Amino acid sequence: MKESFSSDNTYSRHYPQRPAPTCEAARRTLLSQGYTVVNATADAVESTKNFQSKNEVHEQLTLRVSCVPHEADGSLVFVSAVQDRYALKKSPTSASVGVGILGSVSLPIGSSDDSLVRVASVTVQDAAFYQGFFDRLDQYLPRPQTVPTAEASEQPEMAPAGDT
């Protein structure tokens, strides 16, 4: 395990909006990329997306986003992604047959039970992956309201067509 608490900002960003609208933007970001939102509150979002790259291998990506107050009206957004890999495991099935005097006899039957078993789990550490998330989140953040300038309010109002 190579863990260092470095000062890079791979997993977090500061935004000038409060936590609730920022987490809503994160929820919309995830929905826009095909994630299923499992849980969403004003300060957290959890979502998953499933992949199947090979016949008997299934992968699931879980993203957790936390939005916490920071400075006056801003927030910090923390995100982490965990990738779980599952493999299909086959378990042969056998049946027992009870025969009066002989007892029970176990006979293999030509079937098997298939189940997905988690074989790996890793936190995604790819900085470009997180940068893509934050870039997309920027697109869903509410834009500040623009205040009309003095010049715009001083222009004469145009009369509707047909009125003279």
Side-chain angles (χ1 to χ4, degrees), residues 86-104:
Y86 297 86
L88 190 63
K89 298 293 181 185
K90 297 177 183 268
S91 304
T93 305
S94 62
S96 295
V97 177
V99 180
I101 299 174
L102 299 173
S104 86

Side-chain angles (χ1 to χ4, degrees), residues 5-15 76-79 125-128 130-131 133-134:
F5 287 89
S6 64
S7 62
D8 66 355
N9 287 334
T10 301
Y11 306 101
S12 65
R13 295 288 187 280
H14 174 262
Y15 291 98
L76 280 174
V77 175
F78 298 93
V79 62
Q125 297 181 5
D126 181 11
Y130 292 103
Q131 183 62 48
F133 170 81
F134 288 119

